[in-house]
Amino acid sequence: GAGVSQTPSNKVTEKGKYVELRCDPISGHTALYWYRQSLGQGPEFLIYFQGTGAADDSGLPNDRFFAVRPEGSVSTLKIQRTERGDSAVYLCASSPTAGGGDTQYFGPGTRLTVL
Amino acid sequence: AQKITQTQPGMFVQEKEAVTLDCTYDTSDPSYGLFWYKQPSSGEMIFLIYQGSYDQQNATEGRYSLNFQKARKSANLVISASQLGDSAMYFCAMREGLQGYQKVTFGTGTKLQVIP
């Protein structure tokens, strides 16, 4: 079956612009996660959705970052007024539920470069 | 304090030999899960193996095994019979709590290079 997909794979933008990153989880997975991975680091949690609602957004660095999942499937991470420090790989993951033993399956990521 | 510590930034191993990647963790929760992921240069995080804190036996998945030493709070990944395709970054991760949602925390990773 299809895995987690993310588009675009690469995004180059200018400082101050708005960007949207899309994640299409594995069909039937109710839990969806966004992570940010900076060079040489492990993934850093941003936000978790259970169904349509953001159940934990404690990892969002500031109010320039926002994410939605309106129909409980596809999610969009939105970044306003991008800064050079936002440059990173943004990873999306999904799991069947959010249960303790549930494995998160990751997409290939979107590499965001802010010039 | 770091929840997940991977002390080996880089490792080399000869093809066909075994290699151990270290991971120690810090938690006061008796219920937790430990994960290992592989990240090749393509960027995708690939799930390898999972160990729950109450699991009696060490987890194994093909050539991967997890050397779980609860008292020492270590969860080292052992890869047997290394292959060239094993060259990648490897991340250890932990979820505290086994019921419902809990955040997963990742270590900084170990870069493994398999030498022909």
Side-chain angles (χ1 to χ4, degrees):
Chain A
V4 178
S5 61
Q6 291 185 247
T7 54
S9 54
N10 279 284
K11 177 70 177 178
V12 180
T13 191
E14 293 179 344
K15 180 175 179 291
K17 299 286 189 185
Y18 168 82
V19 296
E20 289 190 352
L21 311 179
R22 176 189 166 107
C23 171
D24 203 335
I26 293 172
S27 178
H29 281 194
T30 61
L32 185 146
Y33 311 80
W34 282 98
Y35 292 85
R36 178 168 67 177
Q37 187 175 22
S38 301
L39 196 62
Q41 300 295 318
E44 177 189 19
F45 169 80
L46 294 177
I47 188 169
Y48 153 65
F49 285 90
Q50 180 58 44
T52 59
D56 183 355
D57 64 358
S58 62
L60 295 178
N62 51 60
D63 61 6
R64 295 186 298 105
F65 288 75
F66 189 70
V68 296
R69 194 185 185 200
E71 297 178 0
S73 178
V74 171
S75 176
T76 305
L77 178 66
K78 308 180 180 195
I79 310 174
Q80 298 177 321
R81 305 183 303 280
T82 51
E83 298 177 357
R84 292 195 180 88
D86 298 335
S87 296
V89 175
Y90 289 82
L91 294 165
C92 176
S94 71
S95 63
T97 66
D102 271 2
T103 298
Q104 294 182 21
Y105 296 93
F106 283 79
T110 293
R111 182 176 298 279
L112 175 66
T113 304
V114 182
L115 301 177
Chain B
Q2 293 284 340
K3 286 187 181 289
I4 293 284
T5 302
Q6 294 182 255
T7 57
Q8 307 152 313
M11 290 279 287
F12 289 92
V13 65
Q14 202 77 39
E15 194 179 6
K16 298 180 186 176
E17 302 214 332
V19 63
T20 298
L21 307 183
D22 294 342
C23 173
T24 57
Y25 58 91
D26 183 25
T27 180
S28 56
D29 195 324
S31 303
Y32 53 88
L34 297 156
F35 303 80
W36 277 93
Y37 284 85
K38 171 184 178 182
Q39 188 176 43
S41 56
S42 59
E44 187 165 349
M45 299 280 284
I46 301 167
F47 166 72
L48 296 177
I49 197 165
Y50 168 79
Q51 179 87 44
S53 60
Y54 296 115
D55 293 346
Q56 294 295 313
Q57 296 190 331
N58 286 349
T60 60
E61 288 288 346
R63 294 186 300 110
Y64 304 108
S65 61
L66 202 152
N67 184 1
F68 182 44
Q69 298 190 36
K70 199 168 180 176
R72 296 179 60 186
K73 293 188 175 177
S74 77
N76 299 340
L77 177 70
V78 180
I79 305 175
S80 62
S82 297
Q83 302 172 357
L84 295 177
D86 293 335
S87 294
M89 286 291 293
Y90 288 80
F91 291 95
C92 180
M94 176 177 66
R95 170 192 280 124
E96 292 175 280
L98 295 176
Q99 299 298 324
Y101 162 73
Q102 295 290 340
K103 234 177 274 189
V104 174
T105 304
F106 287 80
T108 53
T110 295
K111 183 172 184 177
L112 177 66
Q113 295 184 67
V114 180
I115 305 165

